[in-house]
Amino acid sequence: MAIFSVYVVNKAGGLIYQLDSYAPRAEAEKTFSYPLDLLLKLHDERVLVAFGQRDGIRVGHAVLAINGMDVNGKYTADGKEGSSGIEILETDTFKLHCFQTLTGIKFVVLADPRQAGIDSLLRKIYEIYSDFALKNPFYSLEMPIRCELFDQNLKLALEVAEKAGTFGPGS
């Protein structure tokens, strides 16, 4: 199990931090921008994702669930056609998790579909962002994050998440 990438997106939609913690084959490298431009299409009773080639995603990833709800044809398991935003996007090769704060900052994690504890990892990343980026007197809001302590603590949190799978209280 692995965590592939971590992205932090500001409220204007600009990428302010990117960390590729797992190096897959070059042809499988993924780069995302927010909002994600998704085109879902129905093929043989499976929902397939067609991303723009600029994101480096191959056409044909099967969508298994959106925001934790199974996808069947063009409807989700609860009978609704759409959603208010991406929280979880599950394909057969990766799972995209997104956590949006009240201030509009978005934390996005690409992980192996079998990786557990991503919700608590997203909250831990938010805590690390608050402690090491926002409290840094040289950091300006909405600007790229260039802080060594943020990098170190984020990498440590990713290692703990990959080994243990979850974060408990006080971690």
Side-chain angles (χ1 to χ4, degrees), residues 16-78:
I16 59 174
Y17 187 81
Q18 172 185 358
L19 174 70
D20 293 323
S21 66
Y22 179 78
R25 294 186 313 248
E27 65 268 9
E29 185 174 295
K30 296 163 184 61
T31 304
F32 290 97
S33 60
Y34 190 83
L36 297 174
D37 298 324
L38 297 176
L39 175 64
L40 300 177
K41 62 182 179 180
L42 185 62
H43 180 45
D44 294 333
E45 295 188 19
R46 292 182 65 193
V47 177
L48 301 179
V49 179
F51 287 93
Q53 292 300 316
R54 64 181 169 83
D55 287 332
I57 303 297
R58 285 186 257 163
V59 174
H61 285 178
V63 176
L64 304 175
I66 297 176
N67 293 338
M69 296 187 190
D70 292 336
V71 175
N72 181 12
K74 72 175 192 175
Y75 296 99
T76 59
D78 63 351

Side-chain angles (χ1 to χ4, degrees), residues 104-153:
I105 300 292
K106 294 157 203 73
F107 298 92
V108 180
V109 171
L110 281 175
D112 188 283
R114 298 165 295 175
Q115 180 72 37
I118 299 295
D119 290 336
S120 56
L121 173 65
L122 284 166
R123 281 163 181 70
K124 182 68 174 179
I125 294 171
Y126 181 35
E127 180 182 324
I128 292 168
Y129 171 75
S130 298
D131 287 343
F132 298 103
L134 293 180
K135 293 178 184 177
N136 182 346
F138 300 108
Y139 176 69
S140 299
L141 286 176
E142 305 295 318
M143 296 305 291
I145 301 169
R146 307 245 189 267
C147 178
E148 182 121 359
L149 285 174
F150 178 80
D151 288 334
Q152 291 172 354
N153 284 283

